[in-house]
Amino acid sequence: MSLSIRNQIPGVVTSVTPGEAMATVAVRLVGGQDVTAAITLEAVQELGLVAGSPVRTLVKSTEVALATGPVEGLSIRNRIPGTVTDASMGGAMASVKVDVEGGEFTAVITKDAMLDLGLAVGSPVVALIKSTEVSLADD
């Protein structure tokens, strides 16, 4: 199946913590980073997710925020360090590619944010992704 989601990084489920309707699924990406996905219990069951299951993490580029360093006092669980490898601006928006261990993320942010952060090729950044914005697919 082809998807329009640019950010697809493989990993392995390390744990599943069920709740009443949702579950948190911990995934270790191929680069060694830990990511949490908050998905429905129905999705966990349909995908047959258990510790050791291979998965692909899927994140829309519009759901990736960028910081120029570690951020404290933030509820966002997924904080993945990387380096800007490409940045292009349009009239209002910018597309920023970030190299991370084991893969790449693309973030679509406003042009003003890119300029305010001073992002350019080689800039160190942290990709910030809410757990509710991480989808999982069987790999």
Side-chain angles (χ1 to χ4, degrees):
M1 170 191 327
S2 295
L3 298 172
S4 64
I5 297 175
R6 298 295 92 194
N7 300 315
Q8 301 184 31
I9 298 180
V12 174
V13 172
T14 56
S15 69
V16 178
T17 305
E20 285 189 35
M22 300 283 291
T24 55
V25 180
V27 176
R28 171 118 341 119
L29 301 180
V30 294
Q33 310 92 330
D34 291 316
V35 170
T36 299
I39 63 175
T40 65
L41 282 177
E42 184 178 357
V44 169
Q45 294 164 352
E46 286 177 4
L47 292 168
L49 298 179
V50 296
S53 298
V55 292
R56 274 182 297 135
T57 59
L58 308 169
V59 182
K60 290 175 59 176
S61 58
T62 53
E63 300 302 335
V64 178
L66 298 175
T68 55
V71 181
E72 298 300 320
L74 193 62
S75 66
I76 296 174
R77 300 292 78 178
N78 300 312
R79 305 170 189 193
I80 303 170
T83 304
V84 174
T85 58
D86 187 42
S88 58
M89 283 190 286
M93 302 301 291
S95 177
V96 181
K97 290 187 180 183
V98 178
D99 182 50
V100 301
E101 281 293 321
E104 178 181 80
F105 279 107
T106 297
V108 173
I109 61 176
T110 65
K111 172 183 162 184
D112 291 343
M114 183 174 153
L115 293 171
D116 288 349
L117 294 172
L119 298 180
V121 172
S123 297
V125 293
V126 177
L128 305 167
I129 308 160
K130 291 177 63 173
S131 59
T132 53
E133 300 304 329
V134 177
S135 296
L136 300 175
D138 49 6
D139 205 21

